[in-house]
Amino acid sequence: VSIIGRQNDDNTISEMNTKSGSVYLQYDGHLTFDDMIAKYKHSNNLLTYIFRFTGWIVMTTGLMLLFNPITTIAKFIPLLSTVINYISNFILICVSLVLSLLTIAIAWITHRPLVAIGLFAVVFLIVYYIKQRLKKQSSAAGQQTVDKNIPII
């Protein structure tokens, strides 16, 4: 058994560290200090990604539940309800992805400012791209209606 901690009489207690709080690690087998720290960092990173993914799933589910009345109203028209359901789910997944990245970027401002700036840039580019696509589609739709209203001489 490999342990990182402080021995106090017959017990092993956590070692107090002012920077990161208390540390107590115990792994099976004979490991060096560096191996134990590397193993701890790996498990901590894995847990972080699990929490992020779970947060994204919860945000997506919450948004889908929030917009569920719209898809319920559309169920009165059979073919249209399926199309509206797929489109709304796709849009809500994209919105939850943007909101999750924004939340992670805000959390990283104090710990990793350069990564946070990069995530803010990614969120900005996604929002800008969606905005430009919507503007292009609305202008194309506007041109079609204008062309139909031109009187033929």
Side-chain angles (χ1 to χ4, degrees), residues 35-96:
D35 291 340
M36 289 182 73
I37 296 298
K39 202 170 187 178
Y40 173 72
K41 284 183 178 180
H42 175 71
S43 65
N44 194 23
N45 285 338
L46 183 64
L47 191 62
T48 301
Y49 283 110
I50 289 171
F51 282 142
R52 288 179 188 154
F53 181 73
T54 304
W56 176 68
I57 294 294
V58 168
M59 186 177 294
T60 303
T61 304
L63 287 174
M64 286 181 179
L65 290 172
L66 184 67
F67 286 93
N68 194 27
I70 294 172
T71 57
T72 303
I73 291 171
K75 285 186 180 178
F76 292 113
I77 306 170
L79 183 62
L80 186 64
S81 69
T82 307
V83 172
I84 288 177
N85 193 20
Y86 285 131
I87 290 172
S88 67
N89 286 344
F90 177 75
I91 290 171
L92 292 175
I93 287 171
C94 292
V95 167
S96 68

Side-chain angles (χ1 to χ4, degrees), residues 89-113:
N89 286 344
F90 177 75
I91 290 171
L92 292 175
I93 287 171
C94 292
V95 167
S96 68
L97 180 65
V98 168
L99 291 176
S100 294
L101 288 176
L102 190 63
T103 303
I104 292 168
I106 289 170
W108 273 358
I109 286 175
T110 57
H111 296 288
R112 298 177 184 171

